[in-house]
Amino acid sequence: MNNIQFIDEVEIREKRILLRVDFNVPLTKELTIAHDVRIRQTLPTIERLIKGNNRLILVSYVGRPKSRDPNLSLTPVVKKLQELIPAKKIILVDDFLSAAGQSQIAAQHSDEIIVLENIRFYPEEKANDPEFGKKLATLADVYVNEAFSVNHREEASIVQVPARLPAYGGLRLKKEIEMLTRVMQGAQKPFVVILGGAKISTKINLINRLMEVADTFLIGGGMGTTFLAAQGQEVGKSLYEQSAIEDAKRLLEMSFTKHTQIVLPVDAIVGRKDDMQSTQVVKKMHEIASEDSILDIGPATEALFGKHIDGANTIIWNGPVGYFENPAFARGTEYVYYAITENTHATSVVGGGDTVAAISKEEYLQKITHISTGGGAMLEYIEKGTLPGIEALKK
Ligand code: ADP
Ligand code: MG
């Protein structure tokens, strides 16, 4: 932290600023924005930089384009930004490398904000191409990183540009680092980690690291099912990771030597993924049969998890504990969310793309100490204590 400067610690005035943001928002079929939280979260940084009479050039991607793709244009984002920042004219530059794009940027007026078209339309971005990084850097005098959620990626706009310009962290990036450092270094016990989601394999290193600091793991979702299968439990047709069974066994053994408790579901909601009617049934674990699919935690597990969450002084949550995309199986995840918001004495950090999407009830969001904008980035930061994009800001 010490050798990074954030924008509230320096005076940046009358500069051209390349501001890396994360506007990777979910788009609907009609190309409107389903959730604009990610855009709104960047507003304090944008507003602060505007106050300094700076000219902003925003850089982001949306979706996973292989090359130019009109369905993944930043046009809907520009529209939304225009609504949120009516005092400025928001201009989309279709191709900053073209002569037309270059002259648009050269002519930027102080009451305009430029947004570069989806940066992943250029394959050089993901390839972390130094030449491409250089071309981006020539557009500005200063670089600001306000894209915590992509800081685990070694991509040109994240690591190449800050190597070539005075580089600073944004307000949100600062909060992410402060909060995650606080839970990992100054955690008050009991420290409870709630994990869910589809896979263990992508989160094994994270679990290893958290095993060092946490007292209790509450594990649901597909991940929980894999642990149950590793214990020899019948899991029927449920989603679980056959290839991660050995890892799950090793983690269960490790939990004994590290004195960390792993709490698994004791009952489940079984049903069919696509069944929107409420024909789902509650089953105790020993009742799960070969044709069953575990799609959510059951009420006894809710109560069990709830007891641990109530008693916690530090909480980290990543991963829905059920197939929440179908509301019939979203109850367990909602329950976990409410239990965390009810615990007002704990420091709570929640992160993950799907996790944050699952907790839609905004009125309670402020009861959580910190909602991380990063899914993969948050997990990797917890695991390693830093990220490539953060390293690139160090002086
Ligand atoms: P995050 O994006 O928050 O890190 P993940 O991507 O790891 O979370 O996992 C989210 C996915 O896991 C969701 O699509 C959810 O439906 C799925 N999931 C969780 N529990 C189950 C389950 N029991 N059966 C099927 N899918 C599940
Ligand atoms: Mg996900």
Side-chain angles (χ1 to χ4, degrees):
M1 200 73 171
N2 340 348
N3 33 14
I4 299 178
Q5 278 190 309
F6 295 90
I7 59 165
D8 58 340
E9 297 162 6
V10 284
E11 253 232 294
I12 310 174
R13 293 194 64 82
E14 312 209 335
K15 295 281 193 290
R16 282 171 172 271
I17 301 179
L18 196 85
L19 176 60
R20 180 60 165 95
V21 287
D22 179 8
F23 288 163
N24 184 19
V25 288
L27 297 173
T28 63
K29 281 196 193 72
E30 296 74 36
L31 298 180
T32 62
I33 295 170
H35 307 283
D36 64 357
V37 190
R38 281 197 161 156
I39 300 178
R40 282 188 284 117
Q41 278 176 334
T42 62
L43 291 179
T45 283
I46 291 178
E47 275 153 18
R48 187 178 180 101
L49 295 174
I50 287 173
K51 277 210 190 92
N53 256 331
N54 298 290
R55 278 180 287 174
L56 305 187
I57 300 171
L58 273 47
V59 176
S60 178
Y61 71 85
V62 67
R64 296 165 181 250
K66 297 250 154 21
S67 57
R68 276 196 173 258
D69 176 351
N71 288 321
L72 292 173
S73 166
L74 283 176
T75 304
V77 169
V78 166
K79 242 193 205 155
K80 176 57 75 176
L81 265 182
Q82 190 63 77
E83 272 169 49
L84 295 168
I85 316 173
K88 299 274 169 181
K89 184 160 184 246
I90 320 292
I91 297 173
L92 182 71
V93 168
D94 184 56
D95 178 10
F96 77 96
L97 295 175
S98 72
Q102 293 277 330
S103 59
Q104 255 180 314
I105 293 168
Q108 182 181 12
H109 200 265
S110 62
D111 56 12
E112 294 169 344
I113 293 176
I114 284 180
V115 178
L116 302 189
E117 183 57 286
N118 196 333
I119 201 69
R120 284 204 185 162
F121 284 0
Y122 306 89
E124 298 94 325
E125 164 69 358
K126 258 187 101 63
N128 195 18
D129 182 295
E131 280 307 308
F132 184 71
K134 206 186 275 177
K135 286 174 194 162
L136 275 172
T138 56
L139 303 179
D141 314 308
V142 165
Y143 171 84
V144 174
N145 183 330
E146 184 62 317
F148 175 76
S149 45
V150 269
N151 271 254
H152 56 316
R153 303 197 186 278
E154 291 192 40
E155 297 180 357
S157 67
I158 298 293
V159 296
Q160 298 291 341
V161 185
R164 292 173 169 82
L165 290 176
Y168 306 97
L171 303 175
R172 187 80 205 171
L173 187 86
K174 182 175 184 175
K175 182 160 184 243
E176 293 278 1
I177 296 174
E178 279 176 356
M179 286 309 307
L180 295 175
T181 309
R182 188 163 123 198
V183 290
M184 291 307 286
Q185 288 174 11
Q188 300 292 311
K189 303 208 145 221
F191 187 160
V192 173
V193 176
I194 307 146
L195 294 174
K199 290 187 170 183
I200 297 192
S201 52
T202 52
K203 295 179 183 174
I204 283 176
N205 294 332
L206 171 85
I207 303 174
N208 279 333
R209 172 74 188 97
L210 285 171
M211 197 87 73
E212 305 287 333
V213 288
D215 301 296
T216 306
F217 284 85
L218 311 175
I219 305 183
M223 185 187 286
T225 309
T226 305
F227 276 99
L228 290 166
Q231 290 182 331
Q233 162 71 46
E234 167 71 70
V235 296
K237 293 192 167 55
S238 315
L239 171 87
Y240 79 104
E241 253 185 311
Q242 180 60 49
S243 60
I245 292 282
E246 288 309 313
D247 286 313
K249 282 186 184 164
R250 190 181 49 76
L251 289 167
L252 286 165
E253 277 164 23
M254 200 171 132
S255 75
F256 283 102
T257 52
K258 299 276 181 200
H259 305 287
T260 309
Q261 199 182 359
I262 292 184
V263 180
L264 297 175
V266 292
D267 63 350
I269 311 288
V270 301
R272 283 205 346 260
K273 244 181 153 175
D274 56 352
D275 190 354
M276 302 300 283
Q277 317 307 321
S278 304
T279 53
Q280 66 276 16
V281 285
V282 178
K283 286 200 173 182
K284 293 278 171 207
M285 270 314 149
H286 63 86
E287 296 169 336
I288 304 283
S290 58
E291 73 279 5
D292 286 333
S293 224
I294 299 172
L295 290 164
D296 199 1
I297 57 172
T301 307
E302 285 178 1
L304 178 64
F305 282 13
K307 197 180 63 152
H308 286 283
I309 293 169
D310 285 348
N313 279 317
T314 303
I315 300 169
I316 291 183
W317 177 28
N318 166 258
V321 295
Y323 179 64
F324 76 94
E325 288 91 338
N326 181 344
F329 307 108
R331 193 187 123 142
T333 300
E334 294 248 310
Y335 183 92
V336 167
Y337 172 41
Y338 290 133
I340 295 173
T341 61
E342 285 290 303
N343 178 337
T344 48
H345 53 84
T347 300
S348 49
V349 173
V350 175
D354 291 289
T355 311
V356 174
I359 54 174
S360 48
K361 302 244 173 24
E362 280 195 42
E363 61 267 37
Y364 297 114
L365 288 181
Q366 75 277 6
K367 293 193 181 172
I368 291 173
T369 319
H370 182 60
I371 310 253
S372 178
T373 47
M378 177 184 97
L379 304 183
E380 198 175 313
Y381 187 87
I382 290 173
E383 185 190 319
K384 298 184 178 151
T386 188
L387 297 171
I390 291 170
E391 287 302 301
L393 294 177
K394 289 190 176 165
K395 298 280 155 9

